[in-house]
Amino acid sequence: MEEIITGTESAHVPQQRGESLSETAVRYAEERHWDVFPGTWLVTASGAQLCSCGEPACAAPGAHPARADWAAQATGSATVARRFWSLQPSASILLPTGRAFDTIEVPESAGFLALARMRRMDLSLGPVTCTPDRRMHFFVLPGAAAKIPDLVRGLGWPPASLDLTALGEGAYVAAPPTRVGSRGAVQWAWRPTPANRWLPDAEEVVSPLAYACGRDR
């Protein structure tokens, strides 16, 4: 059974340690068949790490789209991805949701509780990321964003009462090892492997996630 990553060390999967952002983005496209697109990047000014967007109070420095047409820019071509990052090697790696996957987002505390519960239940798991702002994203089949409110309601919870949301078409997530300002890097809490290439449906994981979020309120 794979170990859950609970520390601060990034688990660079599917990349190998020492690989560049470009090589990592290419691996996501080649090995996982995920669309990728380059986001903003970090610049150093007066000893501080600032976002390339130029906004001093940027909410996600170095980890958001660099252009308004990012959805059209996203590509599943390794060749195009390599060309994108050759133009800006420090660009963050962003993944559009609603295509190869949706994600279910929960607080980190609830996410690790749910992850442990899912392992005990021997549930099928897709990759899971952990962000520097203490959020977790569970990768599931596309369509989750439309299903989640009714699924949560069916479990007896008003959807607005839980800190549980799904990201689908029109949204994106930052992929490891993207850094978010000085806060740290996005990490894998549950790594992409050949065993989890086939993602679970939202129905398979929403119950432990909702339970954990309910406990976390």
Side-chain angles (χ1 to χ4, degrees):
M1 182 66 72
E2 180 173 352
E3 179 184 1
I4 298 175
I5 305 301
T6 57
T8 58
E9 183 184 7
S10 293
H12 297 273
V13 177
Q15 78 170 119
Q16 299 297 313
R17 291 186 184 279
E19 286 187 335
S20 66
L21 286 164
S22 173
E23 292 168 321
T24 306
V26 168
R27 282 182 177 269
Y28 289 144
E30 284 185 336
E31 298 179 11
R32 301 300 295 196
H33 304 295
W34 290 342
D35 283 2
V36 297
F37 67 99
T40 52
W41 56 93
L42 294 173
V43 295
T44 302
S46 301
Q49 289 187 312
L50 303 177
C51 187
S52 62
C53 72
E55 174 55 57
C58 180
H64 65 85
R67 44 194 281 181
D69 63 343
W70 62 264
Q73 184 188 29
T75 179
S77 164
T79 300
V80 175
R82 190 173 285 108
R83 182 166 68 247
F84 281 157
W85 270 270
S86 70
L87 298 174
Q88 181 46 255
S90 300
S92 52
I93 304 173
L94 305 180
L95 311 174
T97 52
R99 300 186 184 186
F101 58 84
D102 283 3
T103 70
I104 302 176
E105 180 185 354
V106 298
E108 181 184 276
S109 53
F112 279 120
L113 175 62
L115 200 50
R117 187 177 177 86
M118 290 175 190
R119 291 183 69 194
R120 290 195 300 269
M121 298 168 67
D122 199 26
L123 294 180
S124 173
L125 282 169
V128 183
T129 60
C130 188
T131 71
D133 56 355
R134 304 185 70 84
R135 307 291 293 181
M136 291 177 72
H137 290 267
F138 287 73
F139 286 47
V140 295
L141 288 173
K147 297 177 182 179
I148 283 296
D150 285 341
L151 290 173
V152 170
R153 199 174 290 113
L155 293 169
W157 297 94
S161 71
L162 298 182
D163 189 0
L164 182 157
T165 58
L167 301 181
E169 186 175 359
Y172 64 90
V173 293
T178 294
R179 297 194 65 82
V180 186
S182 60
R183 303 172 204 168
V186 181
Q187 304 178 56
W188 290 116
W190 194 257
R191 308 175 184 191
T193 68
N196 63 22
R197 182 177 297 278
W198 301 105
L199 301 176
D201 201 293
E203 288 95 331
E204 299 175 60
V205 298
V206 69
S207 179
L209 285 170
Y211 169 80
C213 288
R215 285 276 305 271
D216 200 49
R217 292 193 306 170

